[in-house]
């Protein structure tokens, strides 16, 4: 396991001697000169910021310098992140060391416990609320996020309150209505043209069937 940290030495509080070369030498002193750290391989193997694993919680203190390279916002329902106001590095890991914990830290500890408990004891809500809501395990009911509805929060709704299925049906109905209108106009036009053609033929037949006048 290797640990790399980088800092702005011009304005940071760490010595410029704390650089990548120092970490490489430290690693080789422990494991031999043939061992060369490969941070690129670590990112490739573990995904870097493109995390494919589940049930991961990133905790960050507001003043934690490593927050700059951490995950600070949720990547989904199973990859969560918390930024704790007014704290530094690792305060949520050993709260008993600080008897006068600030309320944001206490709230974060409670949130961490709730998240981990949810992973250990999966909620009983339908389809786990489809990843678009929060489950109330006491009643087994989903509280859907904005833009989603249904018992399992699996139905996406538009800004007008219609689901995608409703909009698809309405679109199909509108298309069918347009076809019916076009067909109706076409049949009416053909009907008028046929009536006119029949009238013209009748007048022509009557004109030709009249006997010639016989002079007296």
């Amino acid at each position: 396991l290797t640990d790399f940290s980088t800092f702005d030495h011009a304005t940071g509080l760490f010595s410029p001697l704390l650089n990548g070369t120092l970490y490489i030498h430290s690693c080789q002193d422990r494991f031999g000169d043939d061992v060369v750290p490969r941070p690129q391989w670590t990112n490739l193997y573990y995904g870097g910021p493109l995390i494919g694993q589940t049930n991961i919680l990133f905790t960050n203190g507001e003043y934690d310098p490593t927050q700059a390279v951490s995950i600070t916002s949720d990547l989904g329902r199973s990859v969560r992140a918390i930024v704790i106001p007014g704290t530094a590095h690792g305060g949520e890991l050993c709260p008993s060391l600080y008897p006068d914990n600030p309320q944001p830290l206490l709230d974060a500890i409670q949130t961490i416990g709730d998240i981990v408990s949810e992973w250990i004891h999966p909620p009983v809500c339908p389809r786990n609320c489809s990843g678009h809501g929060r489950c109330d395990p006491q009643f087994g009911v989903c509280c859907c996020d904005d833009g989603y509805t249904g018992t399992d929060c699996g139905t996406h709704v538009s800004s007008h309150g219609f689901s995608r299925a409703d909009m698809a049906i309405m679109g199909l109905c509108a298309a069918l209505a347009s076809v019916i209108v076009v067909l109706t106009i076409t049949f009416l036009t053909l009907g008028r043209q046929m009536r006119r053609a029949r009238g013209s033929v009748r007048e022509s037949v009557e004109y030709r069937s009249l006997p010639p006048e016989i002079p007296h």
Side-chain angles (χ1 to χ4, degrees):
L1 178 65
T2 59
D3 183 15
F4 288 88
S5 300
T6 57
F7 306 95
D8 184 351
H9 298 300
T11 58
L13 53 86
F14 295 96
S15 167
L17 297 178
L18 295 175
N19 51 36
T21 301
L22 175 66
Y23 286 109
I24 292 175
H25 289 166
S26 175
C27 183
Q28 291 174 339
D29 288 342
R30 295 179 184 179
F31 305 105
D33 293 338
D34 295 335
V35 176
V36 178
R38 294 181 294 166
Q40 295 83 1
W41 175 88
T42 303
N43 289 334
L44 180 63
Y45 184 80
Y46 290 104
L50 303 176
I51 299 172
Q53 290 74 23
T54 59
N55 293 0
I56 300 176
L57 175 60
F58 294 91
T59 57
N60 307 273
E62 181 181 7
Y63 306 119
D64 186 349
T66 63
Q67 181 193 148
V69 292
S70 179
I71 303 298
T72 57
S73 60
D74 291 348
L75 300 181
R77 296 295 299 176
S78 62
V79 180
R80 308 290 299 277
I82 297 175
V83 177
I84 309 172
T87 62
H89 181 74
E92 73 282 0
L93 300 178
C94 44
S96 60
L97 297 179
Y98 309 96
D100 297 326
N101 288 318
Q103 189 61 42
L105 178 58
L106 298 177
D107 294 340
I109 293 172
Q110 179 64 46
T111 301
I112 293 170
D114 293 341
I115 292 174
V116 174
S117 296
E118 183 177 313
W119 291 339
I120 296 175
H121 305 288
V124 294
C125 291
R127 297 183 59 194
N128 196 21
C129 302
S130 304
H132 300 301
R134 188 173 185 83
C135 179
D136 184 341
Q138 182 177 358
F139 300 100
V141 176
C142 291
C143 300
C144 300
D145 297 334
D146 291 339
Y148 292 89
T149 187
T151 57
D152 61 352
C153 299
T155 302
H156 183 269
V157 295
S158 68
S159 58
H160 302 289
F162 300 109
S163 68
R164 291 180 176 175
D166 292 336
M167 295 182 68
I169 293 174
M170 288 188 293
L172 179 60
C173 292
L176 290 175
S178 299
V179 171
I180 292 173
V181 170
V182 171
L183 291 176
T184 302
I185 294 174
T186 301
F187 286 130
L188 291 175
T189 302
L190 289 175
R192 285 196 297 267
Q193 292 177 351
M194 292 178 66
R195 287 194 296 271
R196 290 176 182 174
R198 289 174 183 173
S200 299
V201 171
R202 186 180 302 110
E203 292 175 358
S204 176
V205 171
E206 291 176 353
Y207 176 79
R208 293 181 181 180
S209 62
L210 290 175
E213 293 183 3
I214 300 175
H216 295 285

